[in-house]
Amino acid sequence: MTEPRQVTPHSPRKSKPAMALREWSWLSLALLILTAVLIGVGGIKRFDQTMYDRLLQSQSQPARDDIIIVAIDDYSLAELGKWPWPRIRHAELLRQLHSMQVKAIGFDILFAEEETNAASSGNGDLALAQELRRNKNVVLPLVSIHAGKGLQAAPPLSLLAREAGGLGHIHIELDDDGVARSVFLKEGIQGQWWPHFSLALHDIGKGIQRHIENENSFPRTVSAGTQYANQTGIWQRDFHMQIPFYGGSGKFTSVPYVAVLRGEVPASFFQNKYVLIGPTAQGMADAFPTPVTSNEGILSGVEINANILASLLDGRSIITANWWQNLAATLLLLSIALGSFLLFSPRVALLTIFALLVLQLVGSYVLLMLGYWLPPSSSLLVLILAYPLWSWRRLEAAIHFLGEEFILLDQEPHLLPELHSDNKTAAPSNAHHSPALQDKLERHINAMRTAARRVRDLRQFVTDSLYGLPDATLVTSREGNVVLCNPAANTYFTSIGVPHIIDTLVPYLFANMSAPHTEYASQRIGFSWWHILDLDHTQLLSKGVEVIDPQGRNIIIKSAPCYSAKKELVAWIISLIDIYEIRQAERRRDETLHFISHDMRSPQTSILALIELQKDPKTAIAHEEFLERIEKASATTLGLADNFVQLAHAESNEYRLSDVDFQDLLIEASEEMWALARSKRIKISTIIPEGDYPVRVDRSLMTRVLTNLISNAIKYSPNDTTITCTLSLSSVSLNDSVICTIQDQGYGIARADQSKLFQRFQRLGSKAGAAPKSEGLGLGMVFVKTVIDRHFAQIRFHSVPGEGTLFTLQIPASLT
């Protein structure tokens, strides 16, 4: 035998408790720099814009009912002719609206040039100016134009501008993706400022005199931007406002221009309301894509102005978070994520990342509802990158550590013989068998392959050894907590009502067992289940102690200590051997010997005694009495032998099952017992409702069960009584059963004897002197119970001494 290979112990490597913290610090620094860069460059702007649009679409608000759009739509163009219309028609429209007492009117139509229609040269402008002068509640638009020397303002005709209630620019700010999401409430050039068209309309309706140069006069719900320098040709803008759109096209109430002009709309419809007049017809209106319009959808300029006006009236707007607010929110989420990496398991850290991503999205949605926009792209990107980066660094560290450990493990002595003789499949056991050229990764892989194979072999060896044991076996810690168990142990303890074995103290597992009745009976010191974990009792417990478990089974329990290589106690192995069948066989053997030596021998002895008496004329009895006694003793012997053989047959494994109708068995048994019942003038009544009662049984054995029950009913019933046999079908859940009852009017079973009814060699009676003396061996009811159990059926009885006994059989029906 070869000596075990000596391995030089390696000096322990220095632990690096700060490695994870150092990796975490570098990762945190890198992510913080990435966060600052992303927020500095505006994040992923296109993603933020898309998210903004989707969230805004999901937050549709009910439109105000005091804003009405008078639309220059396709219907009005069809009725009034092609555009442009004479301005006297616009004057007539204003006359109609002024008579309806509207709050303010916004004319979203440019009147930058004089009317060129010869038929109404100058008259249309004059008529329109007169209407503007009447109420001073009309706002006219202006735009910026490029006149060759930079941008310039293009206001309405001076005639109209002087008479209008106010002027306002109608510029819409388009983002780099071409979508209109915001406006500037204040724009101008060379020190001259104009409010936005909707703001001017709001001020007229509210009666506000706004000083355009005073920044404090602007709504506080908008973001004040940096005013551009006052330079010639430079268009200046200030007070940026994100438009909180109320919805897509058609959100606000709209009526055709021609309907108002003809007086088809009642005056009460416009009273105390804001009216915007502008084109909505296709190909005519200035329209823009907006966040609330679907893909490739547009919203007309007059509808966008209606949204802006409604926002100003409601005091709603959307304020975009500045860079430091965005940075603070992102750093807060990132700090939580980084903290979870350091403090929690990878699974919890991953769940934390998912939770933070959801929190960021939900937070952006809720803040947008409250009027604030926090772009989520920077936070989402940093959080998405954080976990893979951290996992990569930790995986690198784990691979490095495991590689070193596997190389050391490969140098350890082998616990099992190496069965791999093929060089192609055998992993190298040491460096001398390795190829000359191997990189670090390949060495780690080879070491891991060898170590993993050895661990698998050892695990399989231990598992097969433990699981292959036929007896219930437990492996415990030194303190007695179960750490391993085989399937036999699981099955056994589950059967006695102990579902959880692992980590349970062994003395508690055996708490419901009886005290051992072997060598401990002669010990001066009482037995305790803690002795099973006591080295002082090892010699006795290695032989085993016999106990009875809660189900009445005989169990031998053995225990043995397990030692480490240093001879230190590390575990206990405990086995449980079920010897119930052995003890049952011993008891049956004793019962059989008693039966043969006493019950079977007695009638034979009587026969021999009668024959001896009959030989002597002096002691001989009458011939008829002699034959009667011989017949009675022989019948007793034959009955006992028959009962014994029938019980042995019932306990055998050879059952011949067949599909029969149970009513045939009941009728057959009743007819067989008819003569016996007739001798005592007892009536056997069978009550069988029409129908089939299919069962799958051993016909002869089940018929014998019924004859035993009926014969007992006849035997223990007085003359002139009735025995009632009934059949019925029962369905409980999905299990169908045939129910058979046999009820007599006999002497009943004494209450003290009812618990012994199905026990071997028990002769039962009723009240003293009430029932005839039992001459049987006490195997008939044991036979009945054995056959019923082997058919997975049930038998129940109810007996009242002096009134009778009711037996109920429940046999599974065979309906297939």
Side-chain angles (χ1 to χ4, degrees):
M1 180 181 297
T2 57
E3 294 293 330
R5 177 165 56 94
Q6 298 295 324
V7 179
T8 303
H10 298 272
S11 59
R13 296 188 302 275
K14 295 181 179 180
S15 61
K16 299 179 180 179
M19 180 181 295
L21 182 60
R22 185 170 63 251
E23 292 276 352
W24 181 84
S25 301
W26 281 110
L27 178 64
S28 300
L29 180 60
L31 290 176
L32 290 176
I33 295 175
L34 177 62
T35 301
V37 171
L38 285 174
I39 294 177
V41 300
I44 308 174
K45 194 171 185 180
R46 185 58 59 88
F47 176 81
D48 286 333
Q49 291 170 342
T50 302
M51 287 294 301
Y52 176 86
D53 296 347
R54 296 295 177 266
L55 295 178
L56 198 61
Q57 288 176 11
S58 64
Q59 299 181 5
S60 178
Q61 299 287 334
R64 293 178 65 96
D65 57 2
D66 59 349
I67 297 177
I68 299 174
I69 297 174
V70 177
I72 304 175
D73 53 6
D74 294 325
Y75 172 69
S76 298
L77 291 174
E79 292 292 317
L80 300 178
K82 65 180 182 179
W83 188 264
W85 294 333
R87 292 180 182 172
I88 195 170
R89 184 171 294 166
H90 299 317
E92 179 61 27
L93 178 68
L94 288 179
R95 187 177 301 109
Q96 291 277 4
L97 293 173
H98 286 152
S99 66
M100 298 177 183
Q101 299 179 353
V102 298
K103 278 188 177 181
I105 302 173
F107 232 123
D108 193 7
I109 301 174
L110 295 176
F111 299 110
E113 299 177 353
E114 294 183 357
E115 190 173 29
T116 58
N117 190 345
S120 57
S121 179
N123 293 332
D125 291 335
L126 290 174
L128 183 58
Q130 289 175 359
E131 287 304 322
L132 294 174
R133 188 185 311 120
R134 286 180 58 189
N135 285 346
K136 289 291 186 180
N137 66 345
V138 180
V139 176
L140 297 180
L142 63 83
V143 294
S144 62
I145 60 173
H146 198 283
K149 296 182 180 180
L151 292 175
Q152 294 183 7
L157 292 173
S158 58
L159 174 63
L160 302 179
R162 288 194 304 271
E163 306 299 340
L167 301 179
H169 72 86
I170 56 173
H171 298 150
I172 304 296
E173 180 69 11
L174 298 180
D175 291 334
D176 52 6
D177 59 351
V179 178
R181 297 184 180 88
S182 60
V183 295
F184 285 91
L185 295 184
K186 175 181 176 181
E187 294 191 9
I189 191 171
Q190 298 181 1
Q192 187 175 7
W193 296 93
W194 293 276
H196 189 270
F197 178 80
S198 298
L199 180 60
L201 195 61
H202 165 272
D203 292 347
I204 289 178
K206 293 291 186 179
I208 298 174
Q209 296 292 329
R210 188 180 305 276
H211 299 285
I212 193 67
E213 293 82 6
N214 185 4
E215 293 185 359
N216 295 327
S217 66
F218 279 82
R220 291 296 93 194
T221 55
V222 297
S223 301
T226 302
Q227 181 175 321
Y228 291 96
N230 186 7
Q231 300 177 7
T232 303
I234 300 300
W235 192 265
Q236 304 160 50
R237 300 180 298 176
D238 204 353
F239 289 97
H240 184 254
M241 172 184 175
Q242 293 286 129
I243 305 173
F245 286 93
Y246 286 74
S249 181
K251 187 70 174 181
F252 289 89
T253 304
S254 176
V255 295
Y257 185 103
V258 65
V260 181
L261 186 65
R262 293 174 178 173
E264 298 173 358
V265 183
S268 59
F269 186 75
F270 288 101
Q271 187 174 8
N272 293 324
K273 295 183 180 178
Y274 295 87
V275 178
L276 283 84
I277 306 169
T280 61
Q282 292 185 358
M284 177 182 173
D286 52 340
F288 307 93
T290 65
V292 293
T293 52
S294 58
N295 294 338
E296 300 180 359
I298 56 176
L299 202 63
S300 64
V302 67
E303 290 180 286
I304 294 177
N305 289 330
N307 277 275
I308 300 171
L309 175 59
S311 302
L312 293 171
L313 292 172
D314 289 338
R316 294 179 63 237
S317 70
I318 299 174
I319 300 176
T320 302
N322 53 35
W323 70 269
W324 67 265
Q325 293 171 331
N326 195 1
L327 179 62
T330 303
L331 291 181
L332 175 62
L333 297 179
L334 181 59
S335 300
I336 297 174
L338 292 172
S340 69
F341 295 162
L342 199 59
L343 300 176
F344 303 132
S345 66
R347 180 190 302 176
V348 176
L350 181 60
L351 293 177
T352 302
I353 290 294
F354 279 121
L356 292 175
L357 292 174
V358 173
L359 177 63
Q360 173 63 59
L361 294 174
V362 173
S364 296
Y365 178 82
V366 173
L367 287 175
L368 189 60
M369 290 182 63
L370 299 176
Y372 298 91
W373 171 237
L374 181 66
S377 64
S378 300
S379 299
L380 294 178
L381 181 59
V382 171
L383 290 175
I384 291 173
L385 290 176
Y387 188 81
L389 290 175
W390 173 253
S391 299
W392 163 61
R393 291 309 308 153
R394 299 314 297 153
L395 185 61
E396 283 281 340
I399 290 176
H400 178 73
F401 170 77
L402 290 177
E404 294 181 351
E405 291 297 321
F406 283 135
I407 291 176
L408 293 177
L409 184 60
D410 184 55
Q411 299 173 1
E412 294 291 329
H414 306 165
L415 299 180
L416 294 175
E418 294 288 339
L419 301 179
H420 302 276
S421 58
D422 188 357
N423 292 332
K424 294 182 179 179
T425 58
S429 59
N430 52 51
H432 299 291
H433 297 93
S434 302
L437 295 177
Q438 282 187 338
D439 62 4
K440 184 176 182 180
L441 177 59
E442 189 172 0
R443 288 196 303 272
H444 288 180
I445 293 175
N446 288 334
M448 180 176 180
R449 183 183 295 115
T450 302
R453 176 178 55 79
R454 290 174 182 167
V455 170
R456 286 195 300 269
D457 291 344
L458 182 60
R459 180 191 61 80
Q460 192 64 41
F461 174 77
V462 174
T463 301
D464 291 345
S465 300
L466 177 62
Y467 279 43
L469 295 175
D471 299 320
T473 305
L474 307 174
V475 178
T476 75
S477 65
R478 187 170 62 178
E479 294 75 17
N481 296 90
V482 178
V483 294
L484 288 174
C485 64
N486 63 352
N490 265 323
T491 303
Y492 173 75
F493 282 103
T494 302
S495 69
I496 64 173
V498 183
H500 303 292
I501 307 175
I502 301 300
D503 206 35
T504 303
L505 275 171
V506 166
Y508 297 154
L509 286 178
F510 298 151
N512 293 328
M513 303 283 187
S514 70
H517 49 277
T518 51
E519 296 189 23
Y520 268 94
S522 60
Q523 297 287 327
R524 291 186 301 171
I525 302 176
F527 176 78
S528 169
W529 284 114
W530 290 100
H531 293 170
I532 208 168
L533 305 173
D534 191 343
L535 292 175
D536 294 337
H537 295 77
T538 300
Q539 184 175 0
L540 178 60
L541 286 170
S542 63
K543 300 177 182 179
V545 294
E546 182 177 345
V547 298
I548 298 177
D549 70 2
Q551 293 188 344
R553 291 178 292 187
N554 300 81
I555 305 294
I556 291 181
I557 300 177
K558 297 182 178 181
S559 72
C562 289
Y563 297 96
S564 67
K566 296 181 180 180
K567 300 301 181 180
E568 295 177 348
L569 178 66
V570 293
W572 292 87
I573 297 179
I574 301 171
S575 62
L576 295 86
I577 304 171
D578 188 349
I579 59 170
Y580 176 74
E581 294 296 333
I582 297 175
R583 293 291 184 256
Q584 281 289 90
E586 291 176 352
R587 285 190 285 269
R588 290 177 183 175
R589 180 199 61 192
D590 296 339
E591 291 170 352
T592 302
L593 291 175
H594 175 78
F595 166 71
I596 294 173
S597 63
H598 182 267
D599 294 271
M600 288 288 287
R601 185 179 180 183
S602 294
Q604 301 302 318
T605 304
S606 297
I607 293 174
L608 292 174
L610 285 171
I611 293 173
E612 290 295 327
L613 289 174
Q614 199 68 15
K615 288 179 180 180
D616 187 354
K618 296 180 180 180
T619 59
I621 61 177
H623 185 69
E624 291 78 6
E625 183 182 357
F626 173 73
L627 293 178
E628 182 181 349
R629 289 179 179 273
I630 291 292
E631 180 184 9
K632 184 177 181 181
S634 299
T636 301
T637 302
L638 182 61
L640 293 175
D642 184 55
N643 284 339
F644 192 79
V645 171
Q646 288 294 336
L647 178 59
H649 184 196
E651 291 177 343
S652 71
N653 294 324
E654 298 179 1
Y655 273 45
R656 298 174 181 175
L657 302 179
S658 60
D659 293 324
V660 297
D661 194 327
F662 200 82
Q663 63 180 323
D664 296 338
L665 306 183
L666 183 59
I667 293 172
E668 181 180 340
S670 300
E671 291 178 350
E672 185 177 342
M673 293 293 104
W674 180 84
L676 180 63
R678 180 72 175 175
S679 66
K680 296 184 67 175
R681 299 189 302 279
I682 293 176
K683 178 183 178 182
I684 300 178
S685 174
T686 56
I687 302 175
I688 305 176
E690 292 186 4
D692 297 329
Y693 301 88
V695 293
R696 185 170 179 81
V697 296
D698 186 310
R699 184 184 184 100
S700 64
L701 291 178
M702 190 58 71
T703 303
R704 181 62 182 266
V705 166
L706 296 175
T707 57
N708 277 10
L709 293 175
I710 296 174
S711 67
N712 283 344
I714 296 171
K715 185 177 180 180
Y716 296 103
S717 293
N719 296 343
D720 300 312
T721 56
T722 300
I723 296 174
T724 305
C725 304
T726 65
L727 278 183
S728 63
L729 279 174
S730 173
S731 179
V732 179
S733 299
L734 299 177
N735 300 321
D736 295 312
S737 303
V738 174
I739 307 296
C740 175
T741 63
I742 300 174
Q743 184 173 13
D744 61 48
Q745 298 172 334
Y747 306 106
I749 304 171
R751 299 189 186 279
D753 293 336
Q754 290 184 7
S755 62
K756 302 183 290 183
L757 180 61
F758 297 114
Q759 297 180 12
R760 289 172 175 261
F761 306 106
Q762 297 292 329
R763 295 181 176 92
L764 310 180
S766 182
K767 295 180 180 179
K773 181 180 179 181
S774 174
E775 297 180 355
L777 185 61
L779 295 178
M781 294 308 296
V782 177
F783 168 82
V784 170
K785 184 66 166 64
T786 302
V787 174
I788 290 298
D789 289 343
R790 290 293 299 273
H791 282 87
F792 302 101
Q794 296 180 9
I795 181 170
R796 301 184 297 275
F797 73 93
H798 176 71
S799 182
V800 179
E803 296 183 8
T805 303
L806 170 67
F807 281 92
T808 302
L809 304 181
Q810 184 173 348
I811 302 98
S814 176
L815 301 180
T816 57

